[in-house]
Amino acid sequence: ERRDFVRNLTKSIVSYTDENCLVLSINGIWGSGKSSVINLIKEEIDNLFLDKQAQKFKPIVFDFNPWLFSGQNQLVGKFFETLSLKLRKINSAAIKKIGEGLENYGQYFEPIISTLIPIPLLSAIASKAPQAVGNALKQYGLKQNEDLETSKIKLEKLLGKLENKIIIFIDDIDRLTKE
């Protein structure tokens, strides 16, 4: 009963031409078929790009499971890390370069992650966390010869040149803690 909905939604997604990101949400109670709809959309994407010429423009589909990680900072860092790994496996120099850019961008979050991991001495760490995070970001930026904003701008330019859409599926958000 979802086929027509999925077909129309998938066509809308793949024909979206605005340069800004598009974010869609499928909401429903547990067991109502949200994951099934996601799987049907992936299948429909494959069906739309069966033709050898169409394969060149087939969207890059990426699944991210946020419930595998804990904490907001780890979530952000791991998102960029896993997306980078996915892109770096694709046989395209331009896409691999984007993967490397994402990896560099994601590394800005690593010092934050290692500084804010909860441990029994959290109160002692919490008072030093802002300074430690600032120092870690400064050191990383010096190492990369660019700040976070410059890294982001470079990444946006690379993504803007990409002929393929990147479609990211994030399922099971309801399993996340409020943090």
Side-chain angles (χ1 to χ4, degrees):
E1 296 173 17
R2 296 180 175 105
R3 253 321 150 186
D4 288 339
F5 169 73
V6 166
R7 192 170 290 121
N8 290 326
L9 179 58
T10 306
K11 285 180 183 175
S12 295
I13 292 169
V14 299
S15 65
Y16 181 77
T17 58
D18 195 292
E19 66 181 41
N20 294 308
C21 293
L22 173 66
V23 178
L24 302 172
S25 172
I26 300 173
N27 299 304
I29 60 171
W30 188 87
S32 62
K34 300 177 298 293
S35 296
S36 295
V37 168
I38 288 172
N39 291 328
L40 289 169
I41 291 170
K42 291 177 198 174
E43 185 179 305
E44 188 65 26
I45 290 169
D46 287 340
N47 291 337
L48 288 172
F49 293 90
L50 288 174
D51 179 293
K52 190 143 183 125
Q53 273 189 303
Q55 282 283 317
K56 178 181 174 186
F57 301 104
K58 183 178 179 182
I60 299 163
V61 176
F62 171 66
D63 289 300
F64 183 67
N65 296 313
W67 57 273
L68 296 174
F69 311 105
S70 64
Q72 184 176 5
N73 293 321
Q74 185 184 28
L75 190 67
V76 172
K78 292 299 180 185
F79 172 81
F80 285 113
E81 180 184 324
T82 53
L83 179 55
S84 169
L85 289 171
K86 166 81 175 183
L87 294 178
R88 291 172 79 185
K89 290 179 183 176
I90 295 173
N91 190 18
S92 161
I95 295 172
K96 284 180 182 178
K97 190 168 184 164
I98 291 169
E100 290 168 8
L102 283 167
E103 180 179 32
N104 289 339
Y105 189 74
Q107 286 178 0
Y108 276 96
F109 298 95
E110 292 301 320
I112 296 171
I113 294 165
S114 62
T115 303
L116 298 179
I117 293 174
I119 59 172
L121 302 173
L122 185 59
S123 61
I125 290 174
S127 65
K128 296 180 182 177
Q131 181 181 358
V133 169
N135 289 339
L137 286 173
K138 182 179 176 186
Q139 289 303 312
Y140 182 75
L142 290 172
K143 188 170 105 181
Q144 296 299 317
N145 289 326
E146 62 187 39
D147 60 14
L148 184 61
E149 186 62 26
T150 303
S151 181
K152 180 179 180 249
I153 290 168
K154 282 183 178 179
L155 193 53
E156 286 173 347
K157 285 180 184 176
L158 288 171
L159 287 166
K161 294 176 185 176
L162 189 62
E163 292 178 334
N164 307 77
K165 293 180 189 315
I166 299 175
I167 301 176
I168 301 168
F169 290 98
I170 304 175
D171 198 2
D172 297 325
I173 291 177
D174 57 331
R175 294 184 187 189
L176 294 174
T177 62
K178 285 185 180 185
E179 182 189 337

